[in-house]
């Protein structure tokens, strides 16, 4: 389907200057993410421009653009310039192709040439950053835009221990903050405390396809090896590049062996820890954390660190550049001031500091220049179409239609077209609906539909156990996304989710309002459906932030949710809700559930016209409750096309009906 959207505002983000020695692309990305989230760019385009742009490699630009879901923009983009053309040559495109591309873009005034006078363009709003001011930093412990400079990290960590439970708080009592938990790890003494790093992962598609940060990380590992520093064996380390080319240049540079010596062995290519596929921690580490309520940390070079995403037992999760991931793995804790405190003691008995293992920009550039070669890209890309023996040996059925296997717990025939008629159902009345969940701000798509591990006590686990799947074979929600039965049970199953119905309790439970029972969200939703009741969700600002997970909209639809009322939506998730036939509504400016005195125990009637021709994008809608409250919300169908989807009960039946009509 063509994408329907309101014409976006374009934010001009001017870059000047040059990154300082030792500052990485990831440091820049986290700085930009914080600035844009603060500025407010949901539903907007962000165009990066200025002479500073020409100093950034294409890989650096890709890392920034790829974070657009984290800063909330529809897209972040860089115009084409000589750096782009150089990348095309590096990755195996012919000179003829590159010349044609340049000529086309110049003819259409779409090429930026820094040798020519630069025009001042008009934007909807403006931001600027001097690259020279970017400092080494990480983001966390729970959101990508909560940036912390390295020099402030120790004090920020202690503030997080003190603060009440929230995005920047764990509420650990003062007397327990310094406790040390000693345990046995494979026969050797080990210890954990609050802030101990138990997962250090070089992961994420763009960060790990960026040669400067990957080779920089390998240089950190090499310098540490030469000084006699080693990562503690109970830190779960992994290396998951975003491209097979990375392995080639790590081998060419001779640096892969130092990654291996520090435990950063290749685990595969693609999504691993950054999407929750970190795997289990060692049993002794898990026991030490759970039995002593340790706030353990993960440090990863991914884009997303939302609660419950990386691993159930790492309550603190920090985003960092690949070189910093190695540094924190060596330190073994996030509770460290790298400027003043040593990372460890070297083989000569002397203290080793961060500055002793950190490579210069020149050192990194030298290795990149000698190790990243065009032939690596050509040979890797050519091999993609050839597959591999395991893939090539898979049997391929000859039938044109897929044959559903009723015994499969991975792929299940979805229910979206059951009982579908050829005529659209039209707008659905929402009368006397119960509130399934009552949320605050920044509920992410990870809260709504986690992609990571399936908790052993969850409805999804029960479903799998009943079908003979062993716990060790549960895999992840992401791997079972082809089974609606698993994914519906995994909706709102994030173990760190906070539902106002439960007071201060954290976890995937809710209250079944008519009986007052505390149930899993899936069981409560099933009970409402069996009783013939619709449900709605109340939420705060930035509902649905994070990655554009389709199941964060499919799941609520399967649970019977008919509408979401929030202060604001993240753009992609709002669009996805519309696509699944769920009504998105926004409170009026300055209002929310609390200010209107809504507890969620009311029953809600949404007074939408029953004729779609009488509904307009962005119109006011009155909502009434069974205790005589009445308030007005803004209907967030933003375009006529979205109204058509709603009229059909969602984008899927809309497409099927249109295809059938075209064939007739």
């Amino acid at each position: 389907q063509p994408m329907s959207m309101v014409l976006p505002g374009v934010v001009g983000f001017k870059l000047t200057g040059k990154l300082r020695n030792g500052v990485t692309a990831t440091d820049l990305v986290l700085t930009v993410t914080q600035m844009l989230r603060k500025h407010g760019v949901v539903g907007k385009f962000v165009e990066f421009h200025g002479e500073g742009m020409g100093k950034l490699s294409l890989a650096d630009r890709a890392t920034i653009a790829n974070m657009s879901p984290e800063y909330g923009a529809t897209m972040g983009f860089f115009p084409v310039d000589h750096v782009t053309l150089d990348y095309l040559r590096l990755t195996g495109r012919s000179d003829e192709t590159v010349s044609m591309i340049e000529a086309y873009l110049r003819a259409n005034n779409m090429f930026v040439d820094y040798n020519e006078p630069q025009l001042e363009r008009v934007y909807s709003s403006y931001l600027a950053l001097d690259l020279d001011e970017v400092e080494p930093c990480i983001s966390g412990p729970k959101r990508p835009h909560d940036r912390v400079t390295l020099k402030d990290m120790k004090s920020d960590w202690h503030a997080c221990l003190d603060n009440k439970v929230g995005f920047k708080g764990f509420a650990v009592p003062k007397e327990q903050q310094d406790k040390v938990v000693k345990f046995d790890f494979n026969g050797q003494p080990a210890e954990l405390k609050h802030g101990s790093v138990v997962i250090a992962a070089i992961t994420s598609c763009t960060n790990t396809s960026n040669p400067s940060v990957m080779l920089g990380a390998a240089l950190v590992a090499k310098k540490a090896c030469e000084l006699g520093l080693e990562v503690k064996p109970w830190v779960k380390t992994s290396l998951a590049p975003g491209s097979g080319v990375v392995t080639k240049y790590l081998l060419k540079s001779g640096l892969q062996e130092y990654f291996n010596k520090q435990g950063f062995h290749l685990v595969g290519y693609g999504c691993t820890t950054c999407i929750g596929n970190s795997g289990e921690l060692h049993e002794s580490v898990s026991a030490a954390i759970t039995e002593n309520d340790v706030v353990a940390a993960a440090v990863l070079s991914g884009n997303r660190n939302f609660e419950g995403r990386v691993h159930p037992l790492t309550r603190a999760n920090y985003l960092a550049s690949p070189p910093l991931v190695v540094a924190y793995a060596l330190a073994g804790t996030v509770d460290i001031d790298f400027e003043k405190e040593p990372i460890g003691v070297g083989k000569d008995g002397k203290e080793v500091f961060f500055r002793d293992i950190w490579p210069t920009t020149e050192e990194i550039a030298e290795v990149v220049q000698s190790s990243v070669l065009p032939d690596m890209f050509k040979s890797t890309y050519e091999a993609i179409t050839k597959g591999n023996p395991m893939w090539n040996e898979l049997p391929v059925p000859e039938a044109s239609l897929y044959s559903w296997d009723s015994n499969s717990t991975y792929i299940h025939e979805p229910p979206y077209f059951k009982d579908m008629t050829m005529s659209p159902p039209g707008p659905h009345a929402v009368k006397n609906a119960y509130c399934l969940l009552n949320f605050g701000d920044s509920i992410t798509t990870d809260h709504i539909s986690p992609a990571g591990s399936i908790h052993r006590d969850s409805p999804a686990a029960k479903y799998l156990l009943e079908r003979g799947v062993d716990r060790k074979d549960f895999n992840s929600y992401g791997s079972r996304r082809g089974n609606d039965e698993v994914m519906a049970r995994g909706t709102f199953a994030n173990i760190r989710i906070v539902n106002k119905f439960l007071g201060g309790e954290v976890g995937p439970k809710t209250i079944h309002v008519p009986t007052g029972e505390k149930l899993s969200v899936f069981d409560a939703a099933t009970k409402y459906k069996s009783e013939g009741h619709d449900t709605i969700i109340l939420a705060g600002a930035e509902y649905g932030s994070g990655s554009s997970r389709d199941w964060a909209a499919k799941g609520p639809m399967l649970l019977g949710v008919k509408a979401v009322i929030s202060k604001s939506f993240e753009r992609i998730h709002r669009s996805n809700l519309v696509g699944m036939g769920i009504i998105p509504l926004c409170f009026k400016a300055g209002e929310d559930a609390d200010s209107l005195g809504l507890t969620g125990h009311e029953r809600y009637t949404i007074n939408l016209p029953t004729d779609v021709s009488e509904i307009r994008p962005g119109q006011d809608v009155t909502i009434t409750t069974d205790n005589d409250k009445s308030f007005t919300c803004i209907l967030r169908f933003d375009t006529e096309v979205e109204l058509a989807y709603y009229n059909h009960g969602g984008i899927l039946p809309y497409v099927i009906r249109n295809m059938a009509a075209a064939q007739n």
Side-chain angles (χ1 to χ4, degrees):
Q1 283 296 293
M3 183 177 166
S4 157
M5 63 189 293
V6 175
L7 193 68
V10 182
V11 179
F13 199 123
K14 188 172 186 176
L15 298 170
T16 56
K18 184 181 179 183
L19 291 175
R20 285 182 287 135
N21 199 355
V23 176
T24 68
T26 316
D27 300 324
L28 170 59
V29 170
L30 297 179
T31 303
V32 166
T33 299
Q34 183 187 43
M35 290 175 68
L36 288 171
R37 180 58 77 173
K38 184 178 179 183
H39 184 75
V41 293
V42 172
K44 298 175 183 175
F45 286 6
V46 179
E47 179 175 344
F48 295 92
H49 65 104
E51 65 271 20
M53 191 182 90
K55 308 287 195 306
L56 296 176
S57 72
L58 188 127
D60 292 353
R61 299 174 188 188
T63 313
I64 294 170
N66 195 49
M67 283 288 272
S68 59
E70 281 63 58
Y71 44 78
T74 300
M75 68 182 291
F77 70 97
F78 291 78
V80 178
D81 60 10
H82 67 279
V83 177
T84 322
L85 300 182
D86 289 345
Y87 181 80
L88 291 173
R89 292 187 188 95
L90 171 68
T91 51
R93 277 70 171 189
S94 69
D95 288 340
E96 182 186 6
T97 299
V98 175
S99 296
M100 180 269 289
I101 290 168
E102 181 178 358
Y104 176 87
L105 292 168
R106 283 185 182 275
N108 286 283
N109 295 319
M110 292 166 65
F111 188 84
V112 177
D113 190 331
Y114 301 105
N115 294 319
E116 297 173 358
Q118 299 299 299
L119 294 173
E120 282 298 319
R121 293 173 176 82
V122 177
Y123 294 102
S124 308
S125 60
Y126 299 82
L127 280 172
L129 175 65
D130 182 348
L131 298 177
D132 187 56
E133 294 176 1
V134 176
E135 297 182 65
C137 57
I138 62 178
S139 276
K142 303 180 185 185
R143 297 191 299 186
H145 54 281
D146 290 335
R147 186 179 69 95
V148 189
T149 59
L150 275 198
K151 66 176 187 287
D152 294 328
M153 183 56 199
K154 190 177 181 73
S155 59
D156 191 83
W157 172 252
H158 285 275
C160 287
L161 291 180
D162 288 331
N163 294 343
K164 67 179 183 180
V165 174
F167 298 122
K168 293 289 287 186
F170 298 104
V172 177
K174 279 280 188 198
E175 64 275 12
Q176 294 180 25
Q177 291 184 10
D178 296 324
K179 74 176 177 182
V180 177
V181 177
K182 296 187 181 297
F183 64 102
D184 180 89
F185 181 84
N186 286 342
Q188 60 177 299
E191 62 179 49
L192 292 179
K193 59 178 185 172
H194 296 305
S196 286
V197 174
V198 295
I199 292 176
I202 298 175
T203 176
S204 154
C205 39
T206 45
N207 269 301
T208 57
S209 298
N210 186 328
S212 63
V213 292
M214 291 301 288
L215 290 166
L219 284 171
V220 171
K222 178 176 186 276
K223 287 172 182 280
C225 284
E226 290 169 347
L227 291 168
L229 290 187
E230 285 184 7
V231 175
K232 298 287 191 296
W234 56 86
V235 179
K236 184 166 191 174
T237 46
S238 59
L239 171 65
S243 164
V245 176
V246 179
T247 295
K248 291 182 177 175
Y249 62 65
L250 283 172
L251 291 171
K252 165 78 175 168
S253 66
L255 292 172
Q256 179 64 54
E257 69 168 295
Y258 298 104
F259 264 152
N260 293 345
K261 285 177 181 177
Q262 296 295 358
F264 288 93
H265 296 274
L266 178 73
V267 295
Y269 301 96
C271 300
T272 56
T273 305
C274 49
I275 200 168
N277 293 337
S278 52
E280 293 300 321
L281 295 174
H282 191 277
E283 286 179 14
S284 63
V285 177
S286 297
I289 293 170
T290 53
E291 291 168 14
N292 299 279
D293 200 24
V294 173
V295 182
V299 183
L300 64 152
S301 63
N303 290 12
R304 296 166 193 138
N305 55 339
F306 304 119
E307 290 182 290
R309 180 185 176 105
V310 174
H311 192 280
L313 296 180
T314 56
R315 279 151 66 190
N317 300 282
Y318 285 95
L319 303 182
S321 65
L324 275 176
V325 171
V326 179
Y328 273 109
L330 289 161
T333 180
V334 296
D335 184 8
I336 185 172
D337 182 339
F338 278 141
E339 285 188 12
K340 298 172 184 173
E341 297 177 75
I343 285 178
V345 178
K347 58 190 175 188
D348 59 2
K350 292 180 181 176
E351 291 180 334
V352 177
F353 287 84
F354 179 78
R355 56 183 171 270
D356 300 324
I357 62 170
W358 200 252
T360 64
T361 303
E362 289 73 28
E363 283 179 280
I364 296 170
E366 194 176 309
V367 182
V368 170
Q369 187 71 33
S370 61
S371 306
V372 184
L373 307 172
D375 282 348
M376 295 176 178
F377 292 89
K378 285 180 184 172
S379 60
T380 303
Y381 294 170
E382 283 169 3
I384 287 171
T385 57
K386 296 171 184 171
N388 61 57
M390 283 178 69
W391 177 261
N392 295 339
E393 286 166 17
L394 288 173
V396 181
E398 291 187 10
S400 58
L401 287 177
Y402 183 75
S403 178
W404 300 102
D405 178 359
S406 59
N407 295 318
S408 173
T409 55
Y410 277 98
I411 300 177
H412 181 257
E413 184 174 7
Y416 309 125
F417 307 109
K418 276 183 184 171
D419 306 321
M420 184 184 132
T421 59
M422 284 315 297
S423 54
H428 52 255
V430 181
K431 292 185 177 178
N432 287 319
Y434 283 101
C435 179
L436 180 64
L437 294 146
N438 185 2
F439 292 130
D441 295 341
S442 289
I443 291 296
T444 70
T445 50
D446 272 279
H447 287 120
I448 304 167
S449 183
S453 59
I454 297 172
H455 195 270
R456 62 179 58 210
D457 298 322
S458 65
K462 183 183 175 190
Y463 172 86
L464 292 171
L465 288 169
E466 287 172 351
R467 281 151 187 79
V469 179
D470 291 337
R471 287 193 195 281
K472 64 180 176 60
D473 296 323
F474 278 2
N475 214 319
S476 65
Y477 285 114
S479 69
R480 293 189 180 273
R481 60 184 299 128
N483 188 323
D484 59 280
E485 296 283 5
V486 174
M487 298 305 286
R489 286 163 173 78
T491 304
F492 299 110
N494 185 302
I495 60 166
R496 300 285 172 210
I497 206 163
V498 177
N499 173 14
K500 290 181 185 177
F501 279 149
L502 303 181
E505 187 181 335
V506 176
K509 302 269 188 185
T510 195
I511 300 297
H512 178 252
V513 174
T515 61
E517 288 178 272
K518 183 165 77 171
L519 301 169
S520 72
V521 178
F522 176 77
D523 288 344
T526 303
K527 195 171 175 71
Y528 281 126
K529 284 177 77 174
S530 69
E531 295 163 348
H533 299 308
D534 288 340
T535 53
I536 60 114
I537 288 167
L538 293 176
E542 297 176 356
Y543 183 77
S545 55
S547 49
S548 54
R549 190 158 306 142
D550 56 335
W551 270 108
K554 289 177 180 172
M557 184 276 282
L558 293 177
L559 294 187
V561 173
K562 301 301 181 189
V564 178
I565 309 171
S566 72
K567 286 175 72 175
S568 63
F569 290 95
E570 204 76 347
R571 183 198 63 82
I572 302 173
H573 184 61
R574 184 207 61 79
S575 175
N576 286 351
L577 289 175
V578 173
M580 296 313 297
I582 296 173
I583 306 168
L585 295 151
C586 278
F587 292 108
K588 289 282 190 174
E591 294 183 347
D592 60 17
D594 292 340
S595 71
L596 293 168
L598 304 173
T599 65
H601 288 82
E602 308 86 356
R603 299 185 72 175
Y604 295 79
T605 295
I606 299 170
N607 296 292
L608 259 184
T610 53
D611 185 341
V612 76
S613 66
E614 296 175 20
I615 303 175
R616 295 285 174 267
Q619 76 180 54
D620 284 354
V621 174
T622 302
I623 299 174
T624 54
T625 67
D626 61 335
N627 60 350
D628 298 326
K629 287 186 184 294
S630 177
F631 56 98
T632 305
C633 284
I634 301 164
L635 181 66
R636 287 300 311 278
F637 294 133
D638 289 355
T639 65
E640 295 290 340
V641 175
E642 290 187 344
L643 275 177
Y645 295 159
Y646 174 65
N647 188 47
H648 278 259
I651 191 171
L652 299 174
Y654 172 87
V655 170
I656 295 294
R657 290 189 185 104
N658 279 357
M659 286 171 68
Q663 287 175 355
N664 291 337

